[in-house]
Amino acid sequence: GTASAVWDLRMAGLALRAGRSDLLAAITRQLAAGSTPIPPAQLPEWTALTMQLADHGLSAETQLLAARITPHVDSAQGRLLLIANARALEAGGQPLLAAEYHLRLASNATQPDAAAESRLRAGFNLARGGLRDDARAQFEWVLKYAREPLQIAVARRELGF
């Protein structure tokens, strides 16, 4: 049969689509409180729900599930979870926390374009949070190290060039 956690994940998805935030919060807390290892075959469902929560701007729920599954994922899935957290925090009006996640993404990026994109996103969030000098430092980094013409153009625009 289907594992109880998988049923709970599916119920959380239904609660999300039905607009039942109370039920969704309860299920998410229950899932996050688990301590047993998550079988690798279940990770796609956990990750999918976490991404859905982020898409809806539910930062608390996104962070709970991401924290629960992070120890069980590989680096690519871990990157997706950092992106999910950053997006949820952006949508939830918490730009400085979102910037922190983007900077973590930038420091762990294996591709220069991914690092530059994360630094751009961090810069936008730092600016939204009122930390203009810190934002400027991110845009200057992009200008200095990025290879992608669009990223360079965005950094130049943000720096007023």
Side-chain angles (χ1 to χ4, degrees), residues 16 20 30 33 56 76 86 114 124 127 134 136 140 155:
L16 177 64
R20 294 284 313 275
Q30 178 185 338
H56 286 266
F124 295 140
D134 293 326
R136 182 175 187 76
E140 287 172 348

Side-chain angles (χ1 to χ4, degrees), residues 15 25 29 36 46-47 72 89 91 101 108-109 122 128 137 143 146:
R29 282 192 303 273
T36 59
W46 284 82
T47 304
H72 307 283
L89 290 163
Y101 278 96
N108 295 326
R128 281 181 53 213
L143 199 56

